[in-house]
Amino acid sequence: MSDPIFVPAAIRPSSEQLLIQTTRARHLLIEANAGAAKTTTLALRIAQALQRGASPEMVLALTYTAPAVQALQTQLRLIGVAPAQVAALRIHTFESFSAEVLKAIEGPGVQQLMSLEQVRPYVLRAIERAQSWPDERYPDELAMTAPSEALVEGLLQSFAVLKGGLRIEQQAWEGAASPEQAEELACDYFTLRVRGAYEAIRRGGHPDHPAFRHEGDACYDLARALVGEEGLAAGDASPLDLGLALVVVDEMHDTNRAMFTLLKGLLQHNRRAAFVGVGDRDQVIHSQAAAEAGFMGEHFEREIGLPLRLPLTASHRFGATLAQAAGALARKPYAAAGARATEVRLLPAESHALQAQFIARLAQEHLAQSEHQELRLLLRRPSQSVLIERELLKLGIGYATQDLRPFLQRREVLLVRGLQAFGIDDYSGFVDKAQRAQVLEALMLFSGAWIDSTELRHVDAVTAQRRAIDEAAAPPDGMRDFIANQVLRTASSFALPRLQAAMELLRSGGLRAFSQGFMQALDPAGLARAVLVRREDILQVRDNIAQLVQLVLAEDTSVADAFQLLHALAQVQQRQRGQPRVTLSSIEAAKGLEFDHVLIPHLSRGEFVGEAGAAENRNLLYVAMTRARHRLTLGFNPQSPSRFLIDAGLLTEN
């Protein structure tokens, strides 16, 4: 007797989708291409389980993000699953499910901190504790300058990598931490020590539960309990024994070690449950969150079992031309469902400046038509936006940004603008209090300065700085006294000579001396290393200032006149308030989204690179290309195109 087959409303499943929907297998992994309706297919598989008689409470769906939870619920309703059944299904992020399990074990009382503002005091306390340990063997490694918001944010991002990968828990070290151990973990010793102090504070000495959790901590804590000596995964009475009939994971390529540990525990304690995971290993671009393609590959086979693998190849997002290029780049079969046509256009330009001009004109053309809505410019590195933004502003084209700040508002650019203003004693380029405050914050950050005020000595360093800057930024001439009496007077011995040398070059006004000596005088990477912890952030500071120097030189005028133009462009940018039809963003921010027109610049040799290796760079380009619906434009230097364009079959090798 055959199973009753769920017949969806609103859609007609493809043969691939129907096979995935109806196949019975203990472990099923769906190797899905970008745009191939992964979430809809997973919804069909869940609906089939309900059709076979599983109650909604016997189905658990896990996702990477809260929007993915909502997307799965939407697709379930769209294909005709009753709203009451959708509401009864267990659909969670890994984090929210972990929090629910831990609450059942621990009971109430664990504070959930949602914002950076809430968690910041604990990170600051951890920094102070790490720096004051009496038996510290490497005190020089902990000699970070005055703590800042940027430092706190960078530390939390580094903690997330260590926790998501269970990297410390997988080591077999003996004795106290060392710089060599930090190097093995791909972090710095300062981060490792502060992380230890932070976890001690977070756990609070309570025997049953921690004092608080921040984003990612619930999944981490549950994973630690599963692999720890307390043996939460062992025994008959486990909180993971939920009587499940089906466990599914969406966007499984974003899985990290902590999530995978939870998944293993669920399958061990629900042995009658089938498992279906869907993902695209070529979309693994979250190595900074410890995601690994191996959790859909060798790790799964070794630690859980040999799965049945089924493909989901046909894209519903774009047409055959783009499907062919994406398949060639990723070296896998790719098809296009339906008759949608996607134009792939090449944009050769012999220089970055010329490429930026071409892109600005394309944006102008895009806004002049109504057929296509959003133009999304996807950048490998934030510094690549500088010349493009200048050309957009010169043409009066408003634009929005996502996951990156407009270049004139980046901390390191504000640092240089502030040094130039102080050098010539002219602050007219910063017309409102918010702008002046941002400049002073940037100066405090990179100078390593601290607030020397008897009135503010009773509050922590970050709060003292915020209050002092708020007062100094109110009148336009308040910047002068603050820079002289706070920034330069209390700057670190490392930063002060660099700031003074840079100011001298900015004050002199000569382009030749500026071009030849500014980067060496300021030493932006050195300044950043003294106050930031993530290598990626440090390199971004260096690259953004290098691009700013090129921008000043391109104006072919005096340094003072070039900075006047920058101030004027900043005012234009502020008045425009953004144009949602033109957006510049990182590729990471666009993952999971789609746009009518996608433009990817800087696809020349040596430019589409970052801290990741070649495999992740390829994955990033694959993700970027497959965001397009109707048009994809690729910018490159015809004299040195990226190898990726050749691999995608878009250019022939000379």
Side-chain angles (χ1 to χ4, degrees), residues 336-349:
R340 172 176 288 169
T342 303
E343 177 187 7
V344 179
R345 178 187 295 183
L346 300 179
L347 185 67

Side-chain angles (χ1 to χ4, degrees), residues 501-522:
M503 275 194 292
E504 183 57 37
L505 288 172
L506 290 165
R507 184 186 296 118
S508 67
L511 275 184
R512 183 174 181 180
F514 176 78
S515 66
Q516 293 177 347
F518 186 76
M519 289 293 289
Q520 182 177 356
L522 184 62

Side-chain angles (χ1 to χ4, degrees), residues 3-6 21-22 43-53:
D3 285 338
I5 296 178
F6 173 80
Q21 175 185 329
T22 57
L44 290 169
R45 184 65 182 80
I46 292 171
Q48 183 64 38
L50 298 176
Q51 184 80 13
R52 287 171 176 159

Side-chain angles (χ1 to χ4, degrees), residues 378-398:
L378 297 180
L379 304 170
R380 179 65 183 88
R381 302 196 302 272
S383 61
Q384 294 172 342
S385 79
V386 173
L387 293 178
I388 297 170
E389 290 187 66
R390 180 191 67 171
E391 295 300 328
L392 291 172
L393 290 169
K394 282 187 173 181
L395 290 182
I397 298 172

Side-chain angles (χ1 to χ4, degrees), residues 257-396:
R257 172 54 67 178
M259 297 173 187
F260 190 68
T261 299
L262 172 56
L263 176 61
K264 285 199 303 179
L266 281 166
L267 296 180
Q268 289 168 3
H269 285 277
N270 296 270
R271 294 191 176 277
R272 299 183 63 183
F275 169 74
V276 180
V278 58
D280 182 355
R281 283 187 277 179
D282 293 300
Q283 291 194 57
V284 177
I285 63 173
H286 287 293
S287 60
Q288 68 271 22
E292 289 184 42
F295 294 125
M296 287 191 66
E298 62 273 17
H299 296 319
F300 192 97
E301 294 181 4
R302 183 172 61 251
E303 300 178 47
I304 294 178
L306 189 66
L308 173 66
R309 296 182 184 273
L310 292 177
L312 195 57
T313 61
S315 171
H316 297 260
R317 179 179 299 153
F318 44 77
T321 302
L322 180 49
Q324 182 178 359
L329 180 67
R331 305 185 184 102
K332 63 183 179 181
Y334 224 126
R340 172 176 288 169
T342 303
E343 177 187 7
V344 179
R345 178 187 295 183
L346 300 179
L347 185 67
E350 287 74 15
S351 69
H352 294 161
L354 191 59
Q355 179 178 238
Q357 292 171 15
F358 288 165
I359 290 171
R361 290 171 194 161
L362 275 177
Q364 202 170 41
E365 293 173 10
H366 180 85
L367 293 174
Q369 55 84 45
S370 57
E371 180 183 358
H372 297 156
Q373 291 304 307
E374 185 172 358
L375 167 62
R376 178 63 68 106
L377 279 69
L378 297 180
L379 304 170
R380 179 65 183 88
R381 302 196 302 272
S383 61
Q384 294 172 342
S385 79
V386 173
L387 293 178
I388 297 170
E389 290 187 66
R390 180 191 67 171
E391 295 300 328
L392 291 172
L393 290 169
K394 282 187 173 181
L395 290 182

